[in-house]
Amino acid sequence: MSGMDEEKLHAFVGKMLGDLGGAFSVPTVRIGFRLGLFDALAKDAATAPQLAERCGGLSERYVREWAYAQAASGYLEFDPEAGRFSLSPEAAMIFVEQDSPVYLRGAFDMVAAMIEGEAKVEAAFRNGGGVAWGDSAACLFCSVGAFFRPTYANAIVQQWLPQLEGVVDRLKAGARVADIGCGVGFSTLLMAEAFPNSEFVGYDFHPASIADARAHAAAHPGCNNVRFETAAAKDIAEGGFDLVTMFDCLHDMGDPRGCARHMLEILKPDGTWMLVEPMAGNRPEENMNPVGRLYYNASTMICVPTSLAQEVGEGLGAQAGEAKLASLIGEAGFGHIRRATEGPFNIVLEARH
Ligand SMILES: C[S@@+](CC[C@H](N)C(=O)[O-])C[C@H]1O[C@@H](n2cnc3c(N)ncnc32)[C@H](O)[C@@H]1O
């Protein structure tokens, strides 16, 4: 082909090989999580027959092929002399340690959920409509909850809340907190456990998420300062909150401006709104990087369709960026807005009256 640069083509094909290798690994990695294959290797290295036996008598032939696939991906180490597979401590953080900040089971499950929702989102490309949060894929909501949990478990209490002015002292003393768009409730529960003198309400408009959140709460029997309610953000009737939190959900809402105005009403006059949103620059070209790539894809398949399925249908997108978010919050009537902190995947904004 005229004008084609042979070297560039080779580099491009090499990149695609890596990308497709990751995509091809999604089903085998998910099987590895579900059947306990990674967990079993965390204890000790094993040959394929030993691994099959350790996982309760799986078919050795499948386990062997699976293990070669993971080794070819670089996820397992392979000792050809001994025919043994092992998991490095670093790989264990990704595949085994559920409280590690980089435990990725939820991320792999999210890929499957996005593929499940493909036909509905494709139809929405044609008709311009939305795909409601609960309609896209059976486990979209649970995989999204699992995707975010490792970050939240390591950041909300330890890193983010302490960056807000005076908030931790209020939480220690006893505050009223609303966690809005709480999904399956991990963020709410993490805060409720850390601040037993405060009272937490998790709200989400998706009833199945609230049912899961209640089940998660029941698994923490000592944690009786938290409850979960089904409500759209703009319809929350209770008020007098010292703190409102929103984790990775304002951009999913159909009417984020209306929601922001409602936040002013339900917060106490000296209350704080902590808004956690995906990391993004203010211009699209600033997001042409691996994090932006994940978020733009998820935004196309999940966030924009969720927003367009609701009234107003603003379709802010996961990569809106701080400037757009701050202007939206300012227009709603908040006088004080600042970036309190950030992580590799999130920006954390603080808004007050
Ligand atoms: C990407 S998920 C984040 C869930 C949770 N905060 C987390 O980080 O795991 C977005 C959440 O926003 C909720 N949501 C979207 N629009 C909403 C609205 N208008 N009112 C209340 N919840 C809404 C969805 O049901 C979903 O649980």
Side-chain angles (χ1 to χ4, degrees):
M1 201 184 283
S2 78
M4 199 205 51
D5 181 325
E6 212 41 64
E7 243 176 67
K8 274 191 184 166
L9 175 65
H10 280 294
F12 210 133
V13 171
K15 170 188 154 52
M16 294 313 298
L17 198 58
D19 288 359
L20 282 172
F24 272 47
S25 76
V26 170
T28 61
V29 167
R30 294 182 76 224
I31 287 172
F33 277 119
R34 282 199 302 273
L35 297 184
L37 287 155
F38 292 115
D39 289 341
L41 282 169
K43 293 181 190 119
D44 201 4
T47 62
Q50 288 168 340
L51 183 55
E53 189 53 41
R54 234 181 249 175
C55 291
L58 298 175
S59 157
E60 185 276 334
R61 182 67 194 91
Y62 280 99
V63 170
R64 190 178 358 134
E65 211 68 0
W66 176 89
Y68 286 139
Q70 305 319 307
S73 288
Y75 301 164
L76 295 184
E77 286 167 8
F78 176 49
D79 173 354
E81 301 293 309
R84 265 204 302 266
F85 300 90
S86 59
L87 196 72
S88 68
E90 298 76 26
M93 287 185 71
I94 308 282
F95 295 112
V96 176
E97 290 169 25
Q98 299 193 17
D99 283 334
S100 121
V102 288
Y103 180 66
L104 291 184
R105 179 172 183 163
F108 280 90
D109 285 347
M110 247 179 95
V111 178
M114 286 193 279
I115 291 172
E116 192 182 325
E118 212 177 277
K120 288 181 178 165
V121 176
E122 183 179 331
F125 268 70
R126 295 181 194 282
N127 63 32
V131 182
W133 178 254
D135 289 352
S136 159
C139 194
L140 177 67
F141 69 101
C142 38
S143 66
V144 166
F147 172 75
F148 284 122
R149 188 189 170 279
T151 298
Y152 296 169
N154 288 277
I156 294 177
V157 171
Q158 302 87 330
Q159 296 172 34
W160 295 344
L161 288 170
Q163 297 303 321
L164 306 176
E165 243 179 84
V167 164
V168 166
D169 286 343
R170 273 170 97 155
L171 289 169
K172 282 183 182 161
R176 267 172 62 69
V177 183
D179 184 18
I180 299 177
C182 67
V184 298
F186 291 135
S187 51
T188 332
L189 283 163
L190 286 161
M191 294 188 289
E193 277 191 317
F195 299 104
N197 293 335
S198 288
E199 180 199 329
F200 294 81
V201 193
Y203 295 99
D204 199 287
F205 77 162
H206 181 231
S209 292
I210 290 298
D212 263 22
R214 286 178 179 155
H216 291 147
H220 295 71
C223 194
N224 42 28
N225 56 337
V226 60
R227 64 187 158 88
F228 292 97
E229 306 291 349
T230 304
K234 267 180 13 180
D235 299 340
I236 292 169
E238 292 174 80
F241 292 105
D242 299 277
L243 174 68
V244 165
T245 55
M246 279 193 195
F247 296 97
D248 287 294
C249 59
L250 184 74
H251 65 270
D252 293 303
M253 296 182 183
D255 182 12
R257 293 165 199 281
C259 290
R261 283 193 295 274
H262 192 55
M263 295 310 106
L264 263 188
E265 285 162 25
I266 68 171
L267 271 170
K268 286 181 180 166
D270 63 348
T272 300
W273 178 16
M274 173 165 84
L275 178 63
V276 176
E277 278 285 300
M279 172 55 73
N282 291 327
R283 295 194 310 273
E285 57 272 33
E286 293 171 49
N287 304 325
M288 303 298 148
N289 54 52
V291 173
R293 178 189 191 190
L294 286 184
Y295 279 135
Y296 275 127
N297 278 293
S299 187
T300 309
M301 299 305 293
I302 303 171
C303 313
V304 169
T306 299
S307 176
L308 295 192
Q310 299 179 42
E311 58 157 346
V312 180
E314 168 125 4
L316 205 49
Q319 293 287 269
E322 182 180 348
K324 202 179 275 180
L325 291 165
S327 108
L328 179 155
I329 297 168
E331 279 166 26
F334 283 88
H336 163 99
I337 304 154
R338 71 175 179 106
R339 185 191 288 223
T341 185
E342 62 183 50
F345 298 101
N346 291 100
I347 48 179
V348 180
L349 303 181
E350 174 189 77
R352 291 205 304 267
H353 277 237

Short mmCIF file of all heavy atoms in Angstrom, two decimals, residues 32 99 194 211 275:
data_model
loop_
_atom_site.label_atom_id
_atom_site.label_comp_id
_atom_site.label_asym_id
_atom_site.label_seq_id
_atom_site.Cartn_x
_atom_site.Cartn_y
_atom_site.Cartn_z
N GLY A 32 -10.02 -19.18 36.19
CA GLY A 32 -9.01 -19.36 37.25
C GLY A 32 -9.45 -18.79 38.58
O GLY A 32 -9.26 -19.40 39.64
N ASP A 99 -7.74 -7.79 49.42
CA ASP A 99 -7.64 -6.43 49.95
C ASP A 99 -6.47 -5.65 49.37
O ASP A 99 -6.21 -4.52 49.80
CB ASP A 99 -7.57 -6.46 51.48
CG ASP A 99 -8.95 -6.72 52.08
OD1 ASP A 99 -9.96 -6.40 51.41
OD2 ASP A 99 -9.02 -7.27 53.19
N ALA A 194 -15.10 2.30 59.83
CA ALA A 194 -14.01 3.14 60.33
C ALA A 194 -14.51 4.20 61.31
O ALA A 194 -13.74 4.66 62.16
CB ALA A 194 -13.30 3.82 59.15
N ALA A 211 -30.17 -4.37 47.32
CA ALA A 211 -30.33 -5.71 47.94
C ALA A 211 -28.95 -6.31 48.23
O ALA A 211 -28.71 -6.87 49.31
CB ALA A 211 -31.14 -6.62 47.02
N LEU A 275 -16.79 14.41 46.15
CA LEU A 275 -17.13 13.87 44.84
C LEU A 275 -15.89 13.17 44.25
O LEU A 275 -14.89 13.84 43.96
CB LEU A 275 -17.58 15.01 43.92
CG LEU A 275 -17.92 14.61 42.51
CD1 LEU A 275 -19.11 13.66 42.48
CD2 LEU A 275 -18.24 15.84 41.67
#
